[in-house]
């Protein structure tokens, strides 16, 4: 005897709790990073703007400082906005990972782990969130929902980590 189940709940059209959880993480971290980039580029949200940020980059050994400050600011702004809306998510994650590796290598790692001591806690958290989103995918509540990387997986994670690491390595070697 064959039975057919008809008591299944209707598929939720507003997404699952996981989709909403990913959206919350993406929007929170994405907008914070976009604002951080805007601080560097435009001097808004309490930032110092491109000229002063460029001078700070010069002090860290980046020459010309303004060019590297622009690259960092654009990476944070575009990567953050891409993460927030879930667009080209693996590339957005790569941009954030690359910037965070640079920040850890030249600024925060020498101060230990804790942010209260100037350490890498914050940068490590941002990089881990970006890598985690690349691995899990942005969820169905993302502009990427029609692309294969919406489900994440090893290829998306490898792309984000690989491009972010390569970008950081190139920047650090210059």
């Amino acid at each position: 005897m064959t039975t057919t189940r008809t008591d299944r709940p209707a598929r939720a059209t507003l997404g699952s709790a996981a989709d909403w959880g990913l959206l919350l993480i993406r929007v929170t971290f994405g907008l914070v990073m976009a604002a951080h980039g805007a601080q560097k580029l435009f001097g808004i949200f309490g930032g110092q703007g491109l000229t002063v940020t460029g001078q700070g980059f010069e002090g860290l050994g980046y020459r010309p400082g303004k060019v590297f400050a622009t690259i960092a600011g654009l990476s944070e702004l575009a990567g953050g906005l891409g993460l927030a809306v879930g667009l080209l998510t693996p590339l957005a994650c790569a941009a954030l990972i690359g910037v965070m590796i640079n920040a850890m290598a030249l600024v925060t790692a020498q101060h230990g782990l804790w942010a209260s001591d100037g350490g890498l806690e914050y940068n490590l958290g941002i990089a881990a969130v970006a890598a985690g989103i690349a691995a899990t995918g942005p969820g169905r509540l993302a502009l990427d929902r029609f692309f294969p990387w919406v489900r994440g997986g090893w290829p998306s994670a490898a792309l984000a980590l690989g491009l972010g690491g390569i970008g950081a390595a190139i920047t650090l070697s210059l």
Side-chain angles (χ1 to χ4, degrees):
M1 176 189 321
T2 306
T3 60
T4 305
R5 286 195 65 149
T6 58
D7 59 342
R8 282 189 223 144
R11 186 172 179 171
T13 58
L14 296 177
S16 68
D19 291 322
W20 283 95
L22 285 166
L23 177 66
L24 175 64
I25 293 167
R26 284 191 355 258
V27 167
T28 301
F29 279 88
L31 291 181
V32 166
M33 289 310 301
H36 197 69
Q39 288 178 313
K40 285 179 177 65
L41 294 170
F42 312 118
I44 58 176
F45 306 124
Q48 297 179 329
L50 201 50
T51 300
V52 174
T53 302
Q55 291 168 352
F57 272 58
E58 290 257 347
L60 293 171
Y62 291 103
R63 304 253 188 304
K66 199 167 187 177
V67 169
F68 284 98
T70 301
I71 292 168
L74 287 173
S75 295
E76 291 170 349
L77 180 65
L81 292 175
L83 186 64
V85 299
L87 180 62
L88 302 173
T89 304
L91 297 178
C93 292
L96 298 178
I97 289 168
V99 172
M100 292 302 107
I101 290 172
N102 272 275
M104 287 185 278
L106 289 181
V107 181
T108 60
Q110 64 196 13
H111 301 290
L113 177 62
W114 305 116
S116 59
D117 297 327
L120 57 84
E121 175 184 15
Y122 173 76
N123 305 117
L124 183 61
I126 296 289
V129 166
I133 297 272
T136 61
R140 287 187 357 196
L141 302 174
L143 294 178
D144 279 343
R145 68 183 167 275
F146 301 112
F147 296 104
W149 54 83
V150 73
R151 291 181 292 286
W154 291 114
S156 293
L159 179 70
L161 289 168
L163 287 178
I166 290 168
I170 290 169
T171 303
L172 289 168
S173 70
L174 296 177

